[in-house]
Amino acid sequence: MPVNVEAYQQLKKELDQKEAVLVAVSKTKTAEEILELYKLGHRDFGENYVQELAAKQKLLPDDIRWHFIGHLQRNKVKQIAPFIQLVQSVDSLNLILEINKQGEKCKRVIPCLLQVHIAREETKFGLDEQELAEILHQCSALQLKNVQVNGLMGMASLTGDMQTVRNEFKYLHRLFLAYQTSNIKLETLSMGMSSDYPVALEEGSNMVRIGTILFGSRN
Ligand SMILES: *Cc1c(COP(=O)(O)O)cnc(C)c1O
């Protein structure tokens, strides 16, 4: 399916005005579809599966900024460590330690976001408020050299009830602001997908992850 160029340009304009970063979520989409957006100047792409990402990364231009947004297993970190731009879905200290280790091996500082569980659904991954506090505390205590936590990510409930969605985004934004004062510098707040990004932007998001609007629905 071809990329919706018009939707991309409109979205890009809207996000530029709001100084929010657009991550084009290209999971299940082909290298050709990604290249279509690339040729329009787009560079930030998000993927959920390590194998799929590693395969696409080999095929596509080196200046693409790849974001990992799915559940990341520790034993797969080494496959993406050499090139990943931002791991958005960090949900345990063990995972951070592994990212740090692999970052050291490839002489990189790997930027990460901590994923917070804000939805009602139990199935979604992420930290609760207490775990978040604990991880941030550990990170500043350990002074890890090859990993840099610089923000938070969250997914709202899958519901048409926009007030619920808004409240979940508000909650994450509040946590984000609460840690502005700590010695860990949180700069990125990644929230909002195709169905809820306008609400996310209103509630303080500065990075959205959008697939369906750009690429059409997935099989
Ligand atoms: C698939 C996915 C998205 C994009 O979803 P759309 O509804 O297609 O915009 C965003 N974030 C995460 C974590 C995803 O898995």
Side-chain angles (χ1 to χ4, degrees):
M1 207 156 103
V3 166
N4 189 336
V5 174
E6 208 173 306
Y8 169 71
Q9 280 162 346
Q10 224 171 340
L11 187 61
K12 184 75 179 119
K13 200 167 134 197
E14 181 185 356
L15 293 168
D16 283 350
Q17 277 167 2
K18 296 184 171 153
E19 293 179 26
V21 175
L22 171 61
V23 177
V25 176
S26 49
K27 62 191 182 201
T28 78
K29 301 299 168 183
T30 63
E32 288 71 28
E33 287 167 297
I34 294 171
L35 263 182
E36 265 190 79
L37 263 193
Y38 179 88
K39 285 177 186 155
L40 298 175
H42 200 71
R43 293 295 179 270
D44 290 277
F45 291 89
E47 290 281 340
N48 283 49
Y49 297 100
V50 168
Q51 236 159 322
E52 186 179 342
L53 169 56
K56 287 175 180 172
Q57 192 268 340
K58 283 196 194 86
L59 291 173
L60 287 159
D62 275 344
D63 62 341
I64 287 184
R65 297 186 289 266
W66 293 105
H67 297 244
F68 194 79
I69 61 172
H71 187 62
L72 182 57
Q73 292 171 295
R74 267 190 295 162
N75 62 3
K76 302 221 166 130
V77 173
K78 61 171 166 301
Q79 291 184 58
I80 62 171
F83 64 84
I84 200 74
Q85 169 81 16
L86 182 63
V87 181
Q88 296 205 11
S89 44
V90 173
D91 60 357
S92 75
L93 185 62
N94 278 335
L95 182 57
I96 292 195
L97 295 175
E98 178 63 18
I99 293 170
N100 185 60
K101 183 173 141 193
Q102 297 301 332
E104 190 180 350
K105 278 192 191 162
C106 44
K107 301 190 169 62
R108 294 189 66 214
V109 178
I110 301 178
C112 294
L113 306 180
L114 297 174
Q115 182 172 355
V116 182
H117 186 266
I118 58 171
R120 291 168 173 172
E121 293 103 349
E122 282 298 315
T123 49
K124 295 212 167 108
F125 293 103
L127 305 158
D128 65 27
E129 202 172 324
Q130 213 173 340
E131 292 165 332
L132 174 67
E134 179 61 21
I135 282 205
L136 285 169
H137 174 75
Q138 291 283 352
C139 283
S140 64
L142 292 168
Q143 300 219 343
L144 304 171
K145 298 236 177 333
N146 296 86
V147 69
Q148 184 189 40
V149 173
N150 57 21
L152 304 179
M153 186 271 253
M155 291 171 86
S157 295
L158 211 62
T159 168
D161 174 6
M162 282 315 189
Q163 194 55 49
T164 295
V165 168
R166 186 180 295 281
N167 288 342
E168 291 167 356
F169 287 147
K170 259 190 211 307
Y171 169 70
L172 187 57
H173 187 232
R174 223 182 301 125
L175 288 177
F176 178 72
L177 292 181
Y179 286 106
Q180 295 293 309
T181 51
S182 72
N183 50 359
I184 288 187
K185 213 164 176 304
L186 299 184
E187 290 173 337
T188 301
L189 181 57
S190 173
M191 54 185 202
M193 318 188 353
S194 292
S195 60
D196 57 19
Y197 83 88
V199 179
L201 290 171
E202 284 168 15
E203 299 304 334
S205 167
N206 58 22
M207 181 178 279
V208 298
R209 310 172 311 272
I210 291 183
T212 308
I213 289 176
L214 303 172
F215 294 108
S217 56
R218 291 174 292 272
N219 305 322

